[in-house]
Amino acid sequence: MIPRTIFSHEHEQFRDTVRRFIDQEIVPHHERWEEAGMVDRDLWRKAGAAGLLCANLPEAYGGFGADYLFNVVITEELSRAGATGPGFAVHSDMVATYIATFASEELKHRWLPKMASGEAIGALGLSEPGAGSDLKNITTRAIRDGDDYVITGQKVFISNGQLCDFVLVACKTDPSAGARGMSFILVEVDRPGFRRGRNLKKFGLKAQDTSELFFDEVRVPVSNLVGKEGGGFGMAMSKLAEERLSIAVSAITVAETAMQWTIEYTKDRRAFGQAISEFQNTRFKLAELHAEITVKRVFVDHCIARHLEKQLTPVDAAIAKMLCGELQVKTVDECLQFFGGYGYMLEYPIARAFIDSRIRRIAGGTSEIMREIIGRELFKE
Ligand SMILES: Cc1cc2nc3c(=O)[nH]c(=O)nc-3n(C[C@H](O)[C@H](O)[C@H](O)COP(=O)(O)OP(=O)(O)OC[C@H]3O[C@@H](n4cnc5c(N)ncnc54)[C@H](O)[C@@H]3O)c2cc1C
């Protein structure tokens, strides 16, 4: 591996803490959570106490003013452990970031310290049954009525949907204005008219709750608006780059981890009087994957450095998400093959990684939408 240069001694010390937390508080419970379809609520409070939530928030809002690299460390270690249940990334890297960047001081002080401590869990409601990639086409409406908005509509596939205390909801405040008519409104789950639907049955990410959410004339004060009215589409576009970078970080880490499992396994497993690792096919396949992972890891670290300088472009984030997401899917599939029948057994981490990986080409913007973003840039006038 090319040595990574983005982390300091402090980040590596934090990595040890995160690893210990995951080994003690997540790994022993993950299988039970997969059966339950969600993690224990208590995990969030423990994670908050250990500094694993919203690490990069300023101290005034409950964080410890850490840089984005601390979030990267958390994402990498969860990914390395195959801990796909805790929806920390959506909560910390998306919802808290939206609030910290765009919300009023009153909303920041009300929610961010609770998010950092794990007392409150956030969800982000963009996708709807009729609109996912085509975000402009959402139909959830927020109609102004005096000092309130009245929200009606439906969301789908919402991570943390069962456990959340509030949802940051993308709504149309002016349906006639297209993208410029979209706004974000914070909706607490105890408001009359809000209802959680099913915890959707998925073939992967089984310990992460993913839900339908219903809004039937939910009344919220205008002060729950996050950012400017009509500014929602621009806000989503500006924050999606960070989400996509975070997905790329996770994806490349899973690919590296799958390689390590496979190297170990093929050294031990024997066929035709020799270790599987001694077949040229094994060495060539793993060499190709290693080469691809090495190159893409360097690119991801470059994107992280650009993000720290606030210079990461949406196009670079789309490239990272597309390439690393697809590499994760390919690597896990190719590595699984070296495990033979054992690779099909869920007690082997490679089997679980296989089913958990497929999401990479879909959520956070599909691979096709990433190609659209990159292609559009190429033909920009
Ligand atoms: C496990 C999971 C968790 C999720 N978590 C969240 C969450 O927390 N919050 C949230 O808001 N959403 C969430 N999503 C939703 C996710 O972001 C969407 O599923 C995704 O953006 C795709 O939207 P869609 O499902 O409506 O597919 P569609 O947009 O209907 O796309 C269907 C197919 O058409 C292709 N397509 C669409 N437009 C184009 C185009 N212009 N050119 C070429 N091909 C195109 C797509 O690439 C795809 O292959 C989650 C989804 C899953 C599965």
Side-chain angles (χ1 to χ4, degrees), residues 41 51 123 212 276 288:
R41 172 87 205 198
E212 300 171 301
I276 303 287
E288 280 167 24

Side-chain angles (χ1 to χ4, degrees), residues 68-240:
Y68 173 72
L69 287 168
F70 284 81
N71 296 36
V72 171
V73 167
I74 296 166
T75 302
E76 287 183 356
E77 292 311 312
L78 287 168
S79 306
R80 207 180 306 283
T84 51
F88 295 166
V90 170
H91 171 91
S92 302
D93 298 355
M94 301 275 327
V95 183
T97 307
Y98 271 79
I99 295 177
T101 314
F102 303 111
S104 64
E105 280 305 310
E106 196 268 320
L107 282 181
K108 286 185 197 175
H109 283 290
R110 183 158 13 123
W111 288 107
L112 293 177
K114 287 186 188 165
M115 290 183 78
S117 68
E119 206 183 318
I121 300 173
L124 184 66
L126 304 173
S127 304
E128 298 186 356
S133 306
D134 188 6
L135 188 57
K136 284 198 293 295
N137 228 10
I138 59 166
T139 56
T140 296
R141 280 276 338 243
I143 298 172
R144 181 82 185 249
D145 182 27
D147 288 338
D148 292 337
Y149 285 111
V150 180
I151 302 176
T152 300
Q154 182 181 343
K155 296 288 170 183
V156 73
F157 306 141
I158 305 306
S159 306
N160 298 338
Q162 295 292 310
L163 286 168
C164 65
D165 298 281
F166 70 87
V167 190
L168 198 52
V169 185
C171 316
K172 281 285 173 74
T173 36
D174 180 358
S176 63
R180 276 191 288 276
M182 199 178 108
S183 307
F184 278 102
I185 301 177
L186 191 153
V187 180
E188 300 89 344
V189 297
D190 54 3
R191 297 222 172 245
F194 172 83
R195 185 166 64 82
R196 299 180 212 264
R198 292 172 298 148
N199 188 5
L200 298 165
K201 290 244 176 279
K202 308 186 293 301
F203 73 71
L205 307 182
K206 287 199 170 139
Q208 190 180 114
D209 55 309
T210 309
S211 309
E212 300 171 301
L213 302 175
F214 299 95
F215 304 82
D216 183 10
E217 301 195 353
V218 182
R219 194 169 272 278
V220 296
V222 168
S223 55
N224 274 23
L225 179 72
V226 172
K228 287 202 182 74
E229 190 176 288
F233 193 76
M235 287 161 60
M237 291 305 112
S238 73
K239 289 297 169 198
L240 277 171

Side-chain angles (χ1 to χ4, degrees), residues 304-344:
I304 294 170
R306 297 287 288 165
H307 183 59
L308 286 168
E309 295 161 358
K310 301 197 184 330
Q311 298 294 326
L312 179 69
T313 66
V315 173
D316 282 349
I319 293 173
K321 199 260 166 186
M322 177 186 81
L323 289 182
C324 296
E326 292 181 359
L327 181 60
Q328 173 183 344
V329 177
K330 179 170 97 170
T331 304
V332 168
D333 181 34
E334 303 250 18
C335 284
L336 186 149
Q337 190 67 15
F338 290 110
F339 287 72
Y342 296 99
Y344 209 74

